[in-house]
Amino acid sequence: HAAGALGTGALPLRPPDETPPSETSSTAMDGAFLRELRRNLQTIAWKYAGVVRTADGLQKGLACLEDLFSRIRRLPAHPPERGRIRMDLLSMGKMIHAILVVSMVRQESRGCFIRKDFPEENNKRWLKNSCVRWVAGFGKSSVSHCPSEGIRV
């Protein structure tokens, strides 16, 4: 279960025996519940997309994010203020997803971001920009690369 991947010291994504709130549930838009979702997104970003990364950690982060994102998508979009909060959480999830996916593809350390499994910078192969395109909804993305212009080695 992805929730266990966050490990000690992190908020659980959801206890295994807890059913997520339904779209009509008042709990689904409770302030404490929404803060928990935001904290879980922040925990995933810090733990798996932070300064030091590994392939295993990036995969765990994507699994945790997928579980959490499915909960966020079930939140109601109305009233408008709650819909804005839902969209903020979706946007945070997509940004974290992009960072994790690009970091999986980019097999090097660059700048202050370190891949423990690829500790060296590789300008010959990776001196380029990464671009994430959403294919069909969350979790379906493709990564492409284009040359970085104006960067001197």
Side-chain angles (χ1 to χ4, degrees):
H1 189 293
L6 283 177
T8 308
L11 295 170
L13 291 179
R14 180 180 352 105
D17 58 344
E18 179 185 321
T19 304
S22 70
E23 290 185 10
T24 58
S25 167
S26 61
T27 306
M29 294 309 276
D30 173 78
F33 179 74
L34 296 172
R35 284 189 297 278
E36 175 196 348
L37 292 175
R38 182 177 300 276
R39 278 192 306 269
N40 283 324
L41 285 168
Q42 293 168 335
T43 298
I44 292 168
W46 179 253
K47 185 166 185 173
Y48 300 114
V51 175
V52 180
R53 303 169 184 171
T54 64
D56 184 52
L58 295 167
Q59 290 171 340
K60 286 179 183 176
L62 286 167
C64 289
L65 192 59
E66 183 179 332
D67 179 62
L68 185 58
F69 199 80
S70 70
R71 295 172 64 196
I72 294 168
R73 280 190 297 206
R74 288 192 296 266
L75 295 173
H78 294 287
E81 175 59 25
R82 295 303 189 173
R84 184 193 63 74
I85 293 169
R86 179 181 181 268
M87 289 306 297
D88 284 349
L89 293 170
L90 291 171
S91 295
M92 286 176 68
K94 283 188 174 185
M95 181 56 66
I96 296 165
H97 173 82
I99 293 167
L100 292 168
V101 167
V102 167
S103 296
M104 281 292 294
V105 173
R106 202 169 188 75
Q107 298 178 342
E108 69 156 355
S109 292
R110 171 115 354 228
C112 67
F113 297 103
I114 301 162
R115 280 283 302 262
K116 279 183 152 180
D117 42 355
F118 296 97
E120 300 298 319
E121 196 171 82
N122 183 342
N123 286 334
K124 186 173 181 177
R125 183 168 181 206
W126 293 110
L127 191 60
K128 50 183 94 174
N129 293 316
S130 300
C131 179
V132 177
R133 297 198 194 289
W134 306 107
V135 177
F138 182 81
K140 310 279 190 227
S141 58
S142 67
V143 178
S144 61
H145 297 92
C146 60
S148 296
E149 296 181 25
I151 296 178
R152 297 179 196 184
V153 182

